[in-house]
Amino acid sequence: MGTLDSDSSSIGSFVSDKSAKVFLAGHRGLVGSAIHRRLISLGFSNLLVRSHAELDLTRQSAVEAFFAAEQPRYVILAAAKVGGIHANSTFPADFIAANLQIQTNVIDAALKSGSVKKLLFLGSSCIYPKLAPQPIPESALLSGPLEPTNEWYAVAKIAGIKMCQAYRIQHGLDAISAMPTNLYGPQDNFHPENSHVLPALIRRFHEAKVAGAKEVVVWGTGSPLREFLHVDDLADGVIFLMDKYSGLEHVNVGSGSEVTIKELAEMVKEVVGFQGQLVWDSTKPDGTPRKLMDSSKIATMGWAPKVPLKDGLVETYKWYVENVAKPQ
């Protein structure tokens, strides 16, 4: 099991330990599938993955039995119940209960198994206060009230960070946490009602192109600044932290670059090939003016993202056309 000191034996050993059992929880989601692809490309040969039907992570007895039988050496916890604002406000009990259960069961079973050398817990940028300073440093955690629309999910994720810290302090479990910024890429959610801004724009411009529409109307003025990270970059960052980091504080993983919603919409319009007009409905709300994470901590360690936004959009649109868009 990992130890408390930051120069523990776990530093620099993950990437060279390719035959070790690695339990990747949540391997089918946006984040988990990217980490899965990355681990395979690096030559990891003993990946443990289970579908929800095979292993229900909300059931403590099932999780404990799995850990006892499989004895993984590493755990990457990318499993979570996720959803948009509508889902969070409609099913708050589901979001807080399922996420607390998943992370509590996995982190506790990792300790009890005695086999786990290192665990990484994945959070979300929604853990930070609604009015956090910009760019948002790790130290902003618990410095103010959360955004009310997804506080159920955020509170669960904060509890996961604190659980990793508590198990490190009391039990010496080498448990670390990574907080990604807004993500995009293959396997994203393109649902018309509850997707995030980038996949929503891809879908709307594509459907407008197919329908031969004259214009696409987007809410707001286009002035808010947002940060986006390709999910393959996050996967690379997760593996970097598994290999290089062993500390108490969570670590932000972002691109460090911002784009206005207007610039983003124009870029998506170009990538999709929509020939009509882009119209801004300034009577509709803009949302938060700026949301950028301070990723200087991981940058100082020597990590940097590699996928330019335009290239990532081209690839994501290709995946959308091949996997989501209805054939015409």
Side-chain angles (χ1 to χ4, degrees):
M1 206 165 31
T3 54
L4 293 181
D5 49 4
S6 59
D7 59 347
S8 76
S9 60
S10 71
I11 298 294
S13 64
F14 176 68
V15 171
S16 59
D17 207 358
K18 291 183 172 62
S19 62
K21 281 189 175 181
V22 181
F23 175 40
L24 172 58
H27 73 288
R28 287 182 167 174
L30 171 66
V31 172
S33 60
I35 296 170
H36 195 218
R37 290 191 299 270
R38 184 77 177 124
L39 288 169
I40 289 169
S41 74
L42 286 169
F44 279 83
S45 57
N46 217 338
L47 299 179
L48 298 173
V49 293
R50 296 289 185 274
S51 67
H52 178 74
E54 293 168 325
L55 176 61
D56 182 351
L57 296 175
T58 67
R59 293 183 58 232
Q60 184 180 13
S61 58
V63 175
E64 288 182 349
F66 168 80
F67 270 81
E70 295 291 349
Q71 295 281 295
R73 190 177 301 169
Y74 301 102
V75 177
I76 299 174
L77 181 43
K81 181 176 180 62
V82 297
I85 291 171
H86 177 72
N88 268 271
S89 57
T90 311
F91 308 108
D94 294 359
F95 278 90
I96 195 163
N99 285 301
L100 285 171
Q101 287 165 342
I102 290 166
Q103 63 209 31
T104 302
N105 292 343
V106 171
I107 295 166
D108 194 60
L111 175 70
K112 286 177 177 169
S113 73
S115 66
V116 175
K117 184 175 177 181
K118 189 162 197 168
L119 177 147
L120 183 142
F121 170 70
L122 270 154
S124 160
S125 60
C126 73
I127 62 162
Y128 290 115
K130 182 177 182 177
L131 302 176
Q134 301 290 334
I136 310 169
E138 284 89 354
S139 59
L141 183 65
L142 295 176
S143 64
L146 300 166
E147 169 61 61
T149 51
N150 61 1
E151 65 177 344
W152 320 105
Y153 177 76
V155 164
K157 287 293 180 182
I158 292 168
I161 296 170
K162 289 296 168 187
M163 191 165 176
C164 287
Q165 292 176 345
Y167 273 54
R168 174 179 289 273
I169 292 164
Q170 186 175 333
H171 299 298
L173 180 68
D174 190 2
I176 62 173
S177 299
M179 298 301 118
T181 187
N182 299 317
L183 301 167
Y184 74 100
Q187 308 288 338
D188 207 341
N189 171 23
F190 290 87
H191 191 279
E193 267 85 62
N194 60 16
S195 58
H196 293 120
V197 61
L198 198 153
L201 286 170
I202 288 175
R203 184 184 189 115
R204 292 190 59 201
F205 279 113
H206 175 79
E207 290 181 347
K209 180 178 85 165
V210 169
K214 295 275 195 295
E215 63 180 35
V216 167
V217 180
V218 182
W219 279 22
T221 63
S223 64
L225 287 158
R226 292 291 181 270
E227 174 187 27
F228 296 95
L229 183 72
H230 193 283
V231 72
D232 288 348
D233 276 332
L234 174 64
D236 187 58
V238 162
I239 287 150
F240 177 88
L241 290 171
M242 283 291 289
D243 198 55
K244 306 286 188 202
Y245 183 68
S246 178
L248 191 66
E249 191 178 47
H250 61 283
V251 182
N252 287 344
V253 186
S255 64
S257 57
E258 295 174 286
V259 62
T260 65
I261 297 296
K262 185 172 188 291
E263 290 166 334
L264 179 70
E266 287 168 351
M267 203 182 290
V268 171
K269 177 178 182 279
E270 183 189 338
V271 165
V272 170
F274 175 66
Q275 300 298 319
Q277 293 295 309
L278 169 55
V279 178
W280 295 94
D281 182 357
S282 58
T283 65
K284 297 292 195 295
D286 263 335
T288 309
R290 188 184 190 208
K291 193 178 177 191
L292 173 68
M293 297 214 312
D294 180 348
S295 299
S296 56
K297 182 172 177 172
I298 192 171
T300 303
M301 287 184 238
W303 180 82
K306 299 180 182 70
V307 183
L309 183 57
K310 180 77 174 286
D311 295 357
L313 286 176
V314 169
E315 182 215 21
T316 304
Y317 178 55
K318 182 173 183 285
W319 186 90
Y320 168 78
V321 169
E322 291 170 358
N323 295 276
V324 181
K326 294 184 179 71
Q328 298 302 315

